[in-house]
Amino acid sequence: MEKTRRMSRIFAKDGKSITLALDGYYFSTKTKGIDETISQLPGLIENGLDAVLVTYGMAKRYAEEFSDIGMLVRADLSTSVFDPSVPYTTGIVTVEEALKLGADGIISMTFPGASNEVSSHRIAFDLARQADNWNLPFMCETLPYGYAVTSEASNRPDVIASGARLGAELGADIIKTRFSGNKEDEEIVRLANRPVLALGGPKTGHILDYFTFVRHCMDVGAKGVAVGRNITQDENPAGVVAALDVLVHQNGTAQEAYEAYQSGHVTA
């Protein structure tokens, strides 16, 4: 099977993707809403969700629920799950194991500039080579200096862009990374030279501000978003996905997205 076919399970026909990150249990104890959101997947898919990013255990437990959507399996996890900064990761899932689960892709993080960058790069490079052998898309989540934004440099567009390009050079087919919210974010997309999904997004005082951020990401060239808590911890996950569909697949405005959010509904 060529990667093209599996990529089409992650990205819609327009080459864009709304991906729901459900892998929080590998990195944090802040996992409120994940299990409840999985129970609402039919409604989310109806509202435009393209893919899910899951743990090995989820892929086993919810095989039927994930059968109608693209699925990427997380191959790395934090070595200290009670530390929200995710200081170190370790590789745990192989490409063959992901394929046995029916995965359409596999993902790992890498931390350019961090004290542990060599080990994270090695995990990514090994996965990229394995993925090429099996024609499985590899998504690299490139996070300068670490998981969290801890300094001005870790959120600078030129630094993020350099990290994204490193992920591509390690063999990634897709890049997942943060965007700063500045026009210079165009450099992230240009330098990556791969489809880029905007990571999550900032916690905002009002959901409209979040939609404005996503509109910015799409305007500078992102091919979609990979979102976790902004969906799973919202009181209306289906509404958020409906709004993201307006932004990502319909090229709508933030205000139009907000209207879709308000009219969206939770489907159990």
Side-chain angles (χ1 to χ4, degrees), residues 213-228:
F213 172 78
V214 174
R215 180 68 268 158
H216 158 78
C217 294
M218 299 306 297
D219 288 343
V220 298
K223 292 298 183 182
V225 291
V227 188

Side-chain angles (χ1 to χ4, degrees), residues 139-182:
M139 180 186 292
C140 192
E141 185 170 355
T142 60
L143 304 175
Y145 298 105
Y147 180 76
V149 176
T150 56
S151 68
E152 181 182 351
S154 61
N155 201 41
R156 262 178 28 205
D158 61 321
V159 172
I160 299 169
S162 295
R165 182 55 180 259
L166 179 56
E169 298 303 334
L170 288 170
D173 302 293
I174 309 162
I175 297 294
K176 175 187 175 188
T177 195
R178 60 176 69 109
F179 280 60
S180 73
N182 299 313

Side-chain angles (χ1 to χ4, degrees), residues 198-236:
L199 183 157
K203 284 292 181 182
T204 59
H206 194 281
I207 193 71
L208 179 58
D209 295 328
Y210 172 61
F211 298 149
T212 300
F213 172 78
V214 174
R215 180 68 268 158
H216 158 78
C217 294
M218 299 306 297
D219 288 343
V220 298
K223 292 298 183 182
V225 291
V227 188
R229 283 181 286 179
N230 276 315
I231 292 177
T232 61
Q233 294 185 4
D234 191 271
E235 63 183 11
N236 184 7

Side-chain angles (χ1 to χ4, degrees), residues 122-135:
R122 172 55 63 183
I123 293 168
F125 182 59
D126 288 346
L127 282 171
R129 289 189 300 171
Q130 292 176 34
D132 284 343
N133 288 337
W134 290 96
N135 287 323

Side-chain angles (χ1 to χ4, degrees), residues 11 19-24 27 52-54 72 74 76 106-112 138-144 147 160 163-165 167-168 172-179 188 192 194-201 222 224-229:
F11 293 87
T19 296
L20 171 61
L22 298 167
D23 58 331
F27 301 104
V52 289
L53 198 169
V54 304
L72 298 104
R74 169 68 70 176
D76 58 339
I106 197 164
I107 178 172
S108 76
M109 292 180 181
T110 193
F111 304 121
F138 169 54
M139 180 186 292
C140 192
E141 185 170 355
T142 60
L143 304 175
Y147 180 76
I160 299 169
R165 182 55 180 259
D173 302 293
I174 309 162
I175 297 294
K176 175 187 175 188
T177 195
R178 60 176 69 109
F179 280 60
I188 300 169
R194 299 287 189 278
V196 179
L197 297 186
L199 183 157
V225 291
V227 188
R229 283 181 286 179

Side-chain angles (χ1 to χ4, degrees), residues 20-22 24-25 28-38 40 44 203 207 227-238 240 261:
L20 171 61
L22 298 167
Y25 287 103
S28 173
T29 58
K30 297 179 180 179
T31 54
K32 179 182 177 181
I34 290 178
D35 295 332
E36 293 82 359
T37 303
I38 292 174
Q40 298 169 22
L44 273 61
K203 284 292 181 182
I207 193 71
V227 188
R229 283 181 286 179
N230 276 315
I231 292 177
T232 61
Q233 294 185 4
D234 191 271
E235 63 183 11
N236 184 7
V240 178
Y261 168 79

